[in-house]
Amino acid sequence: MGHYFTNEPHAASAPRTLTVTLRGQEVQVSTDAGVFSAARLDPGTTVLLAQAGEVPPSGTLLDLGCGWGPIALTMAMASPGARVLAVDVNTRALELTAQNAERLGLANVVTATPEDLLTAEPDLRLDAIWSNPPIRVGKAVLHEMLRTWLPRLAPGATAQLVVAKNLGSDSLQRWITSELGLPTSRRASAKGFRVLQVSTPEE
């Protein structure tokens, strides 16, 4: 997989087209070397999309660590009235997500690096986060990501995070609850993955 969580992938470009099923619809998407799960729809992402429930019909929705875009595309297909932010540090991933959104006619997808988005919208508030977060970046980087984004959830909003059980899903659940003060529950467990639901209190 290479260092897909770097700004500029080291792997030489090797574009390919995949046929995947998103929200029951078979679609063609572009992927490339140097991005997460370039050869298939990742099993964790598949679990998340099956178990996360309904996409909010409106508001601002975030796919954190979008890769080539399956989560962002799914949210945009489900909720054309929402603004879907696809965020990644990997510029090749952002280019692919933008291409795939255009191919599918999804004008409500916006791609950005974390730094650019937060510079443009320092007071950004989110109505949902769906993410297959990059666990392999290590705890320090992962925790910093979650400290940055989870507190931006609007009152009453939720985040859905899919994490492999053997990569620390249960300890991450405890950390979010204790360190960020956001109640976190296990929404689903399937195929070795947990879907963690992070909730924010109503105003």
Side-chain angles (χ1 to χ4, degrees):
M1 65 183 69
H3 294 292
Y4 58 81
F5 40 79
T6 59
N7 294 88
E8 298 293 338
H10 300 304
S13 178
R16 63 194 297 173
T17 299
L18 299 182
T19 300
V20 298
T21 300
L22 302 177
R23 286 194 70 83
Q25 180 179 340
E26 192 173 88
V27 298
Q28 286 195 326
V29 295
S30 298
T31 73
D32 203 341
V35 300
F36 176 65
S37 198
R40 61 174 180 166
L41 184 61
D42 176 72
T45 298
T46 300
V47 169
L48 176 69
L49 296 180
Q51 302 291 341
E54 293 301 312
V55 182
S58 60
T60 299
L61 318 180
L62 174 68
D63 173 7
L64 181 59
C66 63
W68 51 262
I71 296 172
L73 299 173
T74 296
M75 291 196 291
M77 291 165 66
S79 298
R83 181 173 68 134
V84 178
L85 304 175
V87 168
D88 206 296
V89 298
N90 185 323
T91 55
R92 188 178 294 172
L94 295 176
E95 291 167 2
L96 288 166
T97 298
Q99 290 172 19
N100 290 328
E102 183 176 7
R103 171 183 282 182
L104 298 177
L106 301 171
N108 55 331
V109 174
V110 178
T111 58
T113 64
E115 295 81 6
D116 286 350
L117 179 59
L118 293 179
T119 297
E121 301 186 47
D123 299 321
L124 178 68
R125 286 291 174 265
L126 301 165
D127 297 289
I129 299 172
W130 285 20
S131 178
N132 184 349
I135 299 299
R136 296 183 189 277
V137 296
K139 280 187 178 180
V141 176
L142 176 66
H143 288 174
E144 184 60 29
M145 285 176 58
L146 298 180
R147 286 186 190 277
T148 297
W149 296 99
L150 290 179
R152 292 179 175 277
L153 286 166
T158 62
Q160 312 286 342
L161 311 175
V162 66
V163 182
K165 182 180 178 183
N166 66 354
L167 293 180
S169 60
D170 295 349
S171 62
L172 183 63
Q173 177 181 345
R174 293 189 294 270
W175 181 85
I176 295 170
T177 300
S178 62
E179 294 296 320
L180 301 185
L182 297 171
T184 304
S185 59
R186 187 187 306 164
R187 181 183 178 96
S189 184
K191 301 179 180 178
F193 294 92
R194 309 278 206 220
V195 177
L196 305 181
Q197 178 167 299
V198 184
S199 302
T200 54
E202 300 277 358
E203 279 187 328

